[in-house]
Amino acid sequence: MDEETTSYRQALLNEIGAESAAGMGYSSTRFVDRACSVLESGEEFTEFNVCRISGKVSRGWPVLLDAYSFSPSDGVLNLIVSVFSGAEEPEPLLTEEIKRTVAAAFRFLEGSVHESLADSWDESHDAHAVCSEVFSFATGGEMTKACIYLISDRPLGASLGNIPEMALGTQRVDLHLWDIARLARMEASSGGREDIVIDFQGKYRQGIPALPAGLDIQTRYESYMCVMPGAILANLYDSFGGRILEQNVRAFLGDNRKVNKGIRDTLRNEPEMFFAFNNGLTVTVSDLETQIGESGQTEITKATGLQIVNGGQTTASLYWASKAGADLSKVRVQMKLSRLPEDGFEDAVHNIARFANAQNAVSASDLFAGHPYFKRLEGISRGTLAPPAKAGEGNTYWYFERTTGSYKVELRRKKSLEAKLWQMLNPKKQILTKTDVARYAATFEGLPHIVSSGAQKNIAAFGKSIVQQWGIDPTIFDGPYFQRVVSRAILTRAVDAAIPAQKWYPGSIVRPLTSYTLALMSSRMRAAGLQPAYDVIWRTQRVPDIFMQEAMRVAELVLPLLMDIPEAQVRNRLVTEWVKREACWVRVEASSIKLSSEFLAAGTVAGDRVSGKPLQWRDRAQLLWRDGAWKRLHAWEREEQKLTQGERDIVEWAAIASEFSPKGFRLDKLEEAMRHAIDEGFV
């Protein structure tokens, strides 16, 4: 291992060792969680679930799984297995050990789909639910391919032999090896992820025809008008998934897997006219290589850091059409491609996304990544020194990372001594990301089911709220607001760290349990006109003991409400799916769990404008209307016919209303209809 990898590994093991000593789980499990977090940040996959599973198939061969992730938007199932050493001098990973570990993960997949592996465990066991979920993905038409990720704190051997290709029937199974060196490179990269490098000439045996449209020598900005073959575009999405879609576009697409009707009809009837009928793509790259083709025209042969900032629907539709058997050989897509300078690259990408999408029906919150709210937060964070957390320590900053990797970029610009001083003022543990801020806000505002649905869905919902508030009065996002964000970060991270050390904690659901616990506590405090003592938390930079004691007591009471899943609510009864449902939050909030009088007296203060008013049913109904829940309920009722005629009528009104401000009887009837529907299985 080189010096940087060795240093990274030692720091990682120290961090894992400290967490394990604090009761946060075994070192091997902490490594899986930490490594998966790195891969999630790098957009290798989304919303992973740690689930240590070990067993045997009917023939006695071992099966193994440490975590899994499923992406509904592109149908990719990721199975993660680890080889953890923890040794001071780790042995290199050799071919045979890799083969054995990967084979055990593949047998888990194969056994789940073809051999009723789920029956090896009791129905109450997580392994049974995960096997059943994998079976549903594979046999229900949701899964397009599977990937096995092998992660390790050891380096790969100098030379690896051939590892057999894998397939589940006609669906391929890709292998991704992430040893400690590759994980270190991922974390060291300024963008926090591996660059996407596409060698068009090497992989597709052709360059992409391009017409140079502009060149600014001073800024090194280049622009090209290109003709992208549809089959190549679909293959890029197949290979890289959501990683090639800029964050705004990815959030806008959500989990939509349908082929746009216009695109479908063109592909079916006039594929050669696709170029003329479709609006095309807007794409950015950080670097590219060109050549002059045989016909004398410019061709792009290689692109680095490719991001589709407009045209995600076209890209996804071509992908799903190809999966359905459509012939894309005659399809061509127009593409405007811009190479942007490294300095300010991410800001430029967000701005291009904003303006490229401005002519389409995309809301401001869908383009939230470039919103001035984040610039405001960044400015406040750079100018607000936090009090010392311990006696003898100095003041520090909570560094808000508006653009991914900006902390690393800024640190690298400092010389050695200056870098150490800067890092003391801006400790790594006090970095705040956009997804962090969205998580804390949604948790304390009573939306733990949205938090549990994943970072992309949560930040999209957060964006709607912020855009609305910003439009009313942007001045509320001031210094005290930032201090509240930091205080919520301190509270959330402390509860995250404390839950695994509790004797009653079963494992696997730290984040959902934290979100539901804090959301319930916040809801109960709001109802009493109270809020956490944010000013105390900010001044001391720690969570008051009375708050932590109450949080652990409430978490233990909330846990059974998450673990005991109503049979009608979630297929295969996975906790990780149940906590995403509003019905789960309705059940928790309607429970008899109360905050202790001691805590209310000593651990809270009177609410003010920062904490907001209690979220009444009128406000919740408005949120449901904005999120399209009444339309979904209306569609569900047409199929299920569970509501009374009066409830059905009021839901129909809410579903088609162009403006939404119900009062009195109508508002009460809407609440009655929603509760009735949830009782009947509406999610």
Side-chain angles (χ1 to χ4, degrees):
M1 292 188 296
D2 59 39
E3 187 177 342
E4 284 190 11
T5 302
T6 301
S7 176
Y8 170 80
R9 182 177 185 273
Q10 189 58 53
L12 179 63
L13 292 180
N14 289 342
E15 182 183 326
I16 289 170
E19 290 174 347
S20 298
M24 292 181 66
Y26 297 111
S27 294
S28 57
T29 304
R30 297 306 305 156
F31 170 72
V32 171
D33 186 70
R34 185 70 176 79
C36 285
S37 295
V38 172
L39 295 176
E40 183 182 38
S41 298
E43 300 179 8
E44 284 292 315
F45 47 69
T46 59
E47 303 312 316
F48 66 91
N49 299 287
V50 176
C51 55
R52 177 70 180 176
I53 296 172
S54 180
K56 293 184 178 181
V57 292
S58 57
R59 294 183 294 277
W61 291 341
V63 296
L64 183 65
L65 188 69
D66 289 295
Y68 73 97
S69 166
F70 181 72
S71 170
S73 60
D74 53 17
V76 178
L77 173 67
N78 300 295
L79 304 178
I80 300 105
V81 286
S82 73
V83 176
F84 179 73
S85 162
E88 189 171 336
E89 296 290 338
E91 294 292 326
L93 273 171
L94 302 180
T95 305
E96 288 306 312
E97 187 173 9
I98 292 172
K99 282 183 178 179
R100 287 196 302 273
T101 307
V102 170
F106 178 70
R107 282 193 290 268
F108 174 85
L109 173 64
E110 201 173 38
S112 297
V113 178
H114 297 309
E115 299 185 19
S116 302
L117 183 61
D119 294 340
S120 302
W121 293 276
D122 184 83
E123 287 189 9
S124 62
H125 198 287
D126 273 355
H128 184 281
V130 174
C131 289
S132 300
E133 191 77 344
V134 169
F135 175 82
S136 299
F137 293 149
T139 60
E142 295 179 78
M143 188 177 84
T144 58
K145 70 174 180 180
C147 299
I148 293 176
Y149 281 78
L150 187 149
I151 55 178
S152 180
D153 69 325
R154 294 159 54 187
L156 286 176
S159 59
L160 292 178
N162 291 329
I163 297 175
E165 293 186 357
M166 298 169 287
L168 188 70
T170 59
Q171 292 175 322
R172 76 174 192 263
V173 179
D174 293 344
L175 174 62
H176 301 273
L177 300 177
W178 282 84
D179 70 332
I180 192 64
R182 193 175 178 190
L183 288 170
R185 289 195 301 272
M186 168 80 88
E187 287 236 80
S189 67
S190 61
R193 65 179 182 182
E194 279 198 321
D195 257 337
I196 294 171
V197 180
I198 302 167
D199 185 351
F200 294 107
Q201 195 70 50
K203 185 171 183 178
Y204 302 109
R205 301 288 184 266
Q206 65 180 101
I208 304 301
L211 174 67
L215 172 62
D216 184 332
I217 297 175
Q218 185 177 1
T219 60
R220 295 172 286 120
Y221 165 80
E222 298 174 53
S223 193
Y224 298 84
M225 294 302 297
C226 310
V227 179
M228 171 69 83
I232 291 180
L233 183 59
N235 185 265
L236 289 178
Y237 190 76
D238 189 22
S239 300
F240 299 105
R243 290 183 63 206
I244 63 170
L245 300 181
E246 198 271 337
Q247 184 184 37
N248 294 325
V249 180
R250 190 163 59 248
F252 173 57
L253 282 178
D255 294 339
N256 184 13
R257 296 172 55 164
K258 296 179 181 178
V259 179
N260 176 280
K261 186 176 185 294
I263 292 177
R264 181 192 64 202
D265 292 343
T266 302
L267 292 175
R268 182 183 297 161
N269 303 319
E270 300 175 282
E272 67 283 355
M273 295 299 294
F274 193 90
F275 186 89
F277 293 167
N278 186 262
N279 289 333
L281 313 177
T282 300
V283 171
T284 63
V285 297
S286 57
D287 198 10
L288 56 80
E289 294 178 13
T290 62
Q291 68 177 20
I292 303 300
E294 295 179 1
S295 61
Q297 70 178 12
T298 302
E299 294 179 348
I300 295 172
T301 57
K302 183 178 285 189
T304 301
L306 185 143
Q307 289 282 279
I308 296 170
V309 298
N310 181 261
Q313 185 67 65
T314 295
T315 304
S317 291
L318 287 175
Y319 167 75
W320 286 110
S322 70
K323 290 297 178 184
D327 181 9
L328 303 184
S329 60
K330 296 180 181 180
V331 174
R332 298 292 182 272
V333 184
Q334 58 181 313
M335 179 174 74
K336 180 176 73 174
L337 181 145
S338 298
R339 183 179 75 84
L340 303 173
E342 182 179 347
D343 189 27
F345 177 79
E346 189 160 342
D347 276 346
V349 171
H350 287 329
N351 285 332
I352 290 174
R354 241 178 83 208
F355 295 118
N357 285 287
Q359 59 191 318
N360 300 324
V362 182
S363 71
S365 59
D366 291 322
L367 302 176
F368 186 47
H371 195 274
Y373 164 82
F374 287 129
K375 293 185 179 179
R376 171 77 59 83
L377 217 58
E378 180 184 47
I380 296 172
S381 79
R382 300 297 186 272
T384 304
L385 276 168
K390 295 179 182 177
E393 293 185 352
N395 299 71
T396 56
Y397 293 100
W398 281 79
Y399 186 98
F400 176 64
E401 198 171 54
R402 182 172 64 86
T403 56
T404 304
S406 62
Y407 181 91
K408 294 171 187 171
V409 170
E410 197 163 345
L411 181 59
R412 284 176 185 167
R413 287 175 178 165
K414 315 289 182 186
K415 294 180 180 178
S416 56
L417 180 58
E418 187 185 10
K420 289 181 180 178
L421 292 172
W422 186 86
Q423 201 164 20
M424 287 175 64
L425 277 172
N426 299 272
K428 191 175 180 181
K429 66 180 181 179
Q430 290 179 194
I431 295 175
L432 290 170
T433 67
K434 288 178 286 199
T435 52
D436 287 337
V437 173
R439 180 196 176 196
Y440 307 145
T443 294
F444 282 86
E445 287 164 19
L447 299 170
H449 54 296
I450 303 296
V451 176
S452 302
S453 295
Q456 290 301 319
K457 288 184 178 178
N458 186 46
I459 204 166
F462 178 59
K464 292 180 182 179
S465 172
I466 292 297
V467 167
Q468 184 183 33
Q469 293 177 55
W470 186 275
I472 296 170
D473 181 10
T475 64
I476 65 173
F477 303 106
D478 52 13
Y481 172 85
F482 178 72
Q483 292 179 16
R484 178 181 59 143
V485 170
V486 170
S487 298
R488 287 178 168 182
I490 293 169
L491 286 171
T492 306
R493 293 175 182 184
V495 175
D496 274 343
I499 284 176
Q502 307 306 308
K503 292 180 180 179
W504 44 260
Y505 176 64
S508 302
I509 59 164
V510 171
R511 287 197 157 209
L513 183 53
T514 294
S515 293
Y516 272 86
T517 297
L518 291 174
L520 182 62
M521 291 178 70
S522 182
S523 175
R524 297 291 192 257
M525 282 185 274
R526 278 199 306 269
L530 301 170
Q531 66 172 350
Y534 291 126
D535 58 335
V536 174
I537 297 166
W538 170 257
R539 287 200 311 271
T540 61
Q541 292 291 292
R542 61 180 295 274
V543 182
D545 291 341
I546 192 168
F547 192 103
M548 287 304 299
Q549 292 163 8
E550 186 71 357
M552 293 304 99
R553 186 186 70 82
V554 171
E556 185 175 7
L557 297 174
V558 167
L559 180 63
L561 300 177
L562 306 187
M563 301 298 290
D564 182 20
I565 307 168
E567 194 163 346
Q569 286 290 347
V570 181
R571 178 186 64 188
N572 299 327
R573 305 183 72 194
L574 268 174
V575 173
T576 50
E577 291 301 312
W578 165 232
V579 294
K580 298 175 184 178
R581 312 297 190 189
E582 181 161 6
C584 183
W585 172 234
V586 168
R587 173 204 266 188
V588 171
E589 193 176 31
S591 71
S592 59
I593 300 172
K594 296 180 180 179
L595 300 180
S596 68
S597 56
E598 294 81 7
F599 170 72
L600 291 174
T604 63
V605 296
D608 57 19
R609 72 167 181 89
V610 174
S611 66
K613 296 179 180 179
L615 191 63
Q616 303 293 336
W617 167 246
R618 178 185 59 193
D619 301 314
R620 180 174 296 240
Q622 183 79 26
L623 285 173
L624 293 172
W625 178 73
R626 287 206 302 268
D627 291 339
W630 296 115
K631 289 182 180 179
R632 289 192 292 105
L633 177 54
H634 182 49
W636 175 86
E637 170 58 16
R638 280 194 306 229
E639 293 289 329
E640 301 294 332
Q641 298 289 306
K642 299 289 188 180
L643 303 182
T644 66
Q645 185 60 50
E647 292 168 345
R648 192 175 301 127
D649 291 343
I650 196 67
V651 167
E652 183 177 8
W653 170 83
I656 64 176
S658 58
E659 294 184 358
F660 190 84
S661 56
K663 298 176 183 177
F665 174 81
R666 182 175 280 180
L667 189 63
D668 293 340
K669 202 68 179 174
L670 281 170
E671 183 175 18
E672 177 184 314
M674 178 57 75
R675 289 190 177 278
H676 187 186
I678 289 174
D679 289 343
E680 294 289 351
F682 172 70
V683 295

